[in-house]
Amino acid sequence: THPDPQARSGVMANTRRTLTSIEGNLEESMGVRTLDLRPKLSPVPQGKDAGRRPIRNFGQVEINQVIPDPDQPRVEFTEDALERLAQSIRDKGQLSPIRVRWSNDLGKWVIIAGERRWRATKQAGLPTIECYFHDGDLAKSEVLEQQLIENLLREDLKPLEEAKAFSTLIDLNGWNGKQLAEALRLDPSKVSRSLALLRLPDDIQDQIESGELAARSAYEITKLKDDDAK
């Protein structure tokens, strides 16, 4: 069932706040600090404080205390690009922090955004990683929104990764494609073209995934299939 208009408006407003927050954190990741809030660490050692040196909401944590999110929409990372980033981190250090949230179930910091930088930092052999520590609980849909928005702002997802992330976000919030486009400030046609790829047969999706077939060409195939169905 779809949420009523008032509830849907509230969800979209939250998405816009998330977008504004992430856009603002781009400045923070470049060293601009507008808040002076130090996270209070418990006097009794807790799992989430192990190996953590806080500076406001930013700080370092031992890299083995951080793990990827299994639901992250980006699932593939190019080895050549990772090695270039790892070499840059060796030479210049980590230029922007990753975003993490604490998981009591896993006993680790889970990456919200920045898995590529985490992988490259590990590859560079650094024992710690710079993080923005998200305080408070996040719903699964909020985490996915942050991951998707971060990816869209900073680097392109593969076409099918993007389509699957859109589909998951629609299912989580009970949206249609137009509502998703409005919430993420995207052209509705971009969302509809992306989702159309998921209707293609597996063998064609495999060609898109491998790069043999461009997403633009694959979308033209979806239109042919729609015409055949009429």
Side-chain angles (χ1 to χ4, degrees):
T1 59
H2 295 282
D4 60 47
Q6 184 175 357
R8 185 168 65 239
S9 177
V11 173
M12 289 186 178
N14 181 65
T15 298
R16 294 190 189 98
R17 285 195 297 271
T18 298
L19 180 60
T20 301
S21 171
I22 290 178
E23 288 175 333
N25 285 330
L26 294 179
E27 289 188 354
E28 291 175 331
S29 71
M30 294 184 288
V32 179
R33 303 288 186 260
T34 56
L35 299 177
D36 190 17
L37 301 174
R38 290 181 178 271
K40 296 179 181 179
L41 304 188
S42 170
V44 179
Q46 295 183 354
K48 69 177 184 177
D49 298 336
R52 178 182 174 191
R53 298 201 298 276
I55 305 174
R56 303 179 179 91
N57 280 351
F58 292 82
Q60 291 182 341
V61 68
E62 293 175 2
I63 201 162
N64 60 8
Q65 287 292 102
V66 180
I67 61 174
D69 186 337
D71 296 322
Q72 160 66 254
R74 190 174 189 88
V75 296
E76 291 188 9
F77 300 86
T78 305
E79 286 301 322
D80 288 347
L82 277 178
E83 180 52 37
R84 286 196 299 272
L85 181 56
Q87 188 58 54
S88 174
I89 291 172
R90 292 186 195 103
D91 294 341
K92 302 175 183 177
Q94 184 187 344
L95 298 181
S96 60
I98 67 173
R99 294 171 59 83
V100 296
R101 61 183 174 86
W102 178 254
S103 169
N104 285 320
D105 292 338
L106 298 173
K108 298 283 185 181
W109 289 98
V110 178
I111 298 169
I112 298 174
E115 184 177 340
R116 190 171 68 98
R117 276 168 284 156
W118 172 79
R119 288 173 178 263
T121 301
K122 285 192 72 174
Q123 200 160 312
L126 274 62
T128 61
I129 188 165
E130 298 281 346
C131 298
Y132 172 84
F133 301 102
H134 180 90
D135 291 327
D137 296 329
L138 282 172
K140 183 178 179 181
S141 60
E142 291 177 301
V143 173
L144 180 60
E145 283 175 354
Q146 291 199 24
Q147 291 170 338
L148 178 58
I149 293 168
E150 181 87 3
N151 285 329
L152 289 171
L153 286 173
R154 294 192 171 187
E155 56 183 315
D156 292 335
L157 288 169
K158 283 190 172 183
L160 287 176
E161 288 176 332
E162 181 182 71
K164 290 172 183 176
F166 284 163
S167 179
T168 301
L169 201 50
I170 284 173
D171 290 342
L172 284 171
N173 288 307
W175 287 342
N176 58 35
K178 183 177 179 180
Q179 291 161 352
L180 173 66
E182 180 183 344
L184 296 182
R185 303 177 186 174
L186 297 174
D187 186 329
S189 64
K190 173 181 173 59
V191 173
S192 62
R193 287 196 303 269
S194 181
L195 292 173
L197 301 181
L198 299 179
R199 301 198 300 267
L200 291 168
D202 290 344
D203 58 334
I204 297 180
Q205 290 192 28
D206 289 343
Q207 292 179 52
I208 301 170
E209 189 71 24
S210 67
E212 297 176 47
L213 181 65
R216 183 184 297 273
S217 300
Y219 175 64
E220 295 301 319
I221 295 175
T222 68
K223 292 196 292 185
L224 291 174
K225 291 179 69 64
D226 289 343
D227 290 340
D228 290 343
K230 293 177 181 179

